[in-house]
Structures are given as C-alpha cells and as structure tokens.
Amino acid sequence: MRDQRDLRYFIAAARHGGFRGAARATSTSASSISEAVIRLEERLGVRLFNRTTRSVALTQAGETLLARLVPALEEVDAALEATSALGKGPRGLLRLNVPGAVTRTILPPILERFLAAHPDITLELIANDGFVDVLASGADAGIRYEEALSQDMIAVPIGPRSQRFAAAAAPNYLERRGHPRHPHDLLSHDCIRTRFPGGALGIWEFEKAGGVVKIDPPARMTVSTQAVDMAISATVAGLGILMTFDGWLEPLLEDGRLLPVLEDWWPTFSGPFLYYPGRRHMPPPLRAFVDFVKAEQADERAEGRSRSQGIGPL
C-alpha cells in the first residue's frame, strides 16, 4: 500500500508543479511528498525530478514513468470501483465534456431519463465547443460531431442520427433586402455568423441534388458558439440571415417570426457521438451511461423498423 501511495504522491507532484502544490492537493505535508519521491528514486535508481531552490521539474525518466503510470493506476481505480459496485447499483460521479449545441435539445431528455434510472450517480457537465483530450480535461467521456478520434477512443451514437442546418431571416429583413434564390446570393446579404473557440468562423454549406455549395458570407454580426441565443434574437430583430440547427429555429418558423431562406438547399448531417477511452475497466458511472445510450439507440432502431413495416403498438 505504501508503494501505491508513493506512486500517487509522485503523480500529484508532477501534476501540481512540485511538492508544495502536491501537498495542498492531497491534504498532506510537502515533506511527505518529498520523502515518497526519494523512496521511489532510490528504488528505481534514477532521478525523477530536477530540483532547484525555485522549481521542481520532471526528468526524462520522470516523464516516462508518469506516462505509463497514470493509465495503469486509472485501470486499478476502475477495477476497484467496478468490484465494489457488485451487488448494488452503479454510483459515483460521471463527468461529460460536450459541445454547447447538444445541451439545448438533444442531451437534456437523455440525461433526465438516465439520472432517474440511476439515483446514486451524480453528473458534472462541461460545455466546450473545442475538440479536447477527454482524459486531460478531467472528463470520463465526451460528445462531438464526426470528429477524428484517436485509436484508443470508442464512439457510440447518441441522440438523433440525422440533423439538419436551416437558414432563416425575419420577414421585415426579407422585405427590405429580398429573398436569396441561390446560396451565392448570400454574399450580398447581411449574415449573422458564429465563431468557434479556436477563432474560426463556421463555413455555411448548402446541398441540393447531390451538389454542395460552400459560402463564406459577410458577417453583419459575429457571436461565439456559446452565444447562439443572441444570434437568434438578432435574427428575429431583422439584423440579418442566420444559419443554425433547424430544431432551434422551428418554433420561430412555425409562428412566423422567422421565414425560411433557401429551404430546398438545407443540408443534413450525421448526429453526435459519445466517445470515451477504450479502457478495459471503465468507471461504473461511465459504464452505466454507455449501456444506457446503447440500449436507447437499440430501442429507437427497433421502433423505426416497426414503423417501416406498419407494425403498431399491441
């Protein structure tokens, strides 16, 4: 047990920039952290940290040990949690890193059903529109749209398998400026754009009869992906044309506050995916969530087959 404690103290010192930071993070003393590292160094016969009066930094040997040690201890923790959960329902904290887009309509009903089914699981949701390293962010799993995943990641469909982008504008804007007839007409219109955390503006893509047109229209107003509500309000106020998820605009299109623009060009795309590390032992809350999502997807596929065959409820 002392060997494992020394290893965890070493990880804490590496993550928190030295012995004092590790001591604060682990609620122990800096001398205990230092003694643990010295024991490890003596046992391994290599120096793990370069120490000066001002700083503590990993050596190459320390970096090698840290890279191998962190996933190994995570496997140990997951195995212990899974074993302790035998005979009782899963419990603990589930951390998800998700884009803001799924927090509006897709994720809330899924999480409500999941948490109702698992009363001993608590949830921490981090909204982040960038593509992040799940483990480095401290999350157990992430949700993204068709991202290129590293080889040790597993992707599971979550939510609708097909979505659509819609373009719309207020009636008074279209009365003043006219209705675009082709995506290229947008180059002479005021458009309301969204910007990703990395600084890139989202390119507007349209499709029709197998053809795709990509447009980088002028922006009368630009908002971050976390401020889409402001973009929608500005569109209703007549400031320009907006392109976003059709589900977000549907109520406004139905009551006439917005009118569709280039509706026959609206593109469809694949729905989001839940992705997580392909570890042998998953924390029980994550395992419960993955199983729940897979079961819901299976139920939806079965319902879809029944509808296509004309089979109704008995």
Side-chain angles (χ1 to χ4, degrees):
M1 292 301 295
R2 191 179 76 170
D3 287 346
Q4 187 177 135
R5 184 173 62 248
D6 288 352
L7 292 172
R8 293 183 186 278
Y9 282 170
F10 161 73
I11 292 174
R15 284 178 168 171
H16 296 281
F19 303 148
R20 290 193 180 89
R24 288 191 295 270
T26 59
S27 299
T28 187
S29 66
S31 61
S32 295
I33 303 292
S34 177
E35 290 166 3
V37 171
I38 290 171
R39 282 194 295 270
L40 272 178
E41 290 177 329
E42 290 176 348
R43 177 176 175 179
L44 298 173
V46 294
R47 181 178 291 276
L48 300 175
F49 289 96
N50 288 319
R51 305 163 176 84
T52 70
T53 56
R54 294 186 177 182
S55 66
V56 174
L58 283 171
T59 62
Q60 184 175 356
E63 291 177 352
T64 300
L65 177 61
L66 182 68
R68 298 289 297 273
L69 193 57
V70 169
L73 285 181
E74 285 177 347
E75 290 288 324
V76 170
D77 291 340
L80 292 174
E81 288 181 21
T83 303
S84 68
L86 292 175
K88 56 187 178 182
R91 61 183 63 228
L93 175 63
L94 172 66
R95 296 184 180 91
L96 298 177
N97 188 298
V98 307
V102 303
T103 64
R104 295 175 63 95
T105 55
I106 294 175
L107 204 51
I110 295 173
L111 291 179
E112 288 164 10
R113 294 190 294 270
F114 172 72
L115 293 175
H118 298 283
D120 293 324
I121 291 179
T122 56
L123 174 71
E124 180 178 342
L125 198 65
I126 304 112
N128 185 327
D129 287 324
F131 183 69
V132 299
D133 182 323
V134 171
L135 296 181
S137 74
D140 299 303
I143 295 177
R144 289 296 185 274
Y145 284 89
E146 291 196 63
E147 297 289 352
L149 305 179
S150 58
Q151 292 183 350
D152 61 345
M153 287 290 181
I154 297 173
V156 174
I158 184 172
R161 299 324 310 139
S162 179
Q163 292 185 261
R164 186 168 64 161
F165 278 132
N172 61 3
Y173 174 86
L174 295 173
E175 288 173 5
R176 296 194 318 269
R177 303 292 301 275
H179 291 255
R181 303 301 178 188
H182 187 278
H184 286 130
D185 295 342
L186 296 172
L187 296 174
S188 60
H189 277 266
D190 293 334
C191 296
I192 299 174
R193 307 281 299 275
T194 53
R195 190 181 299 278
F196 290 97
L201 281 171
I203 299 298
W204 289 10
E205 185 172 307
F206 297 86
E207 62 182 22
K208 185 177 182 181
V212 175
V213 177
K214 296 182 179 181
I215 299 294
D216 187 11
R220 171 77 189 278
M221 178 178 177
T222 302
V223 303
S224 75
T225 53
Q226 297 290 319
V228 176
D229 285 338
M230 182 177 292
I232 293 174
S233 296
T235 307
V236 173
L239 295 184
I241 298 173
L242 174 67
M243 190 172 190
T244 189
F245 293 90
D246 66 339
W248 298 359
L249 302 180
E250 186 175 353
L252 302 169
L253 292 167
E254 288 179 350
D255 66 20
R257 282 181 288 171
L258 292 180
L259 296 177
V261 172
L262 297 170
E263 187 171 6
D264 54 345
W265 283 89
W266 291 357
T268 58
F269 56 95
S270 297
F273 290 83
L274 170 70
Y275 70 100
Y276 55 93
R279 300 185 301 203
R280 187 174 180 181
H281 299 291
M282 283 195 293
L286 176 57
R287 166 54 64 193
F289 187 59
V290 170
D291 291 344
F292 181 85
V293 170
K294 287 181 177 179
E296 287 215 331
Q297 287 291 325
D299 289 345
E300 289 177 6
R301 287 195 298 270
E303 290 176 5
R305 287 195 296 270
S306 296
R307 286 194 297 269
S308 67
Q309 296 168 7
I311 302 173
L314 298 177

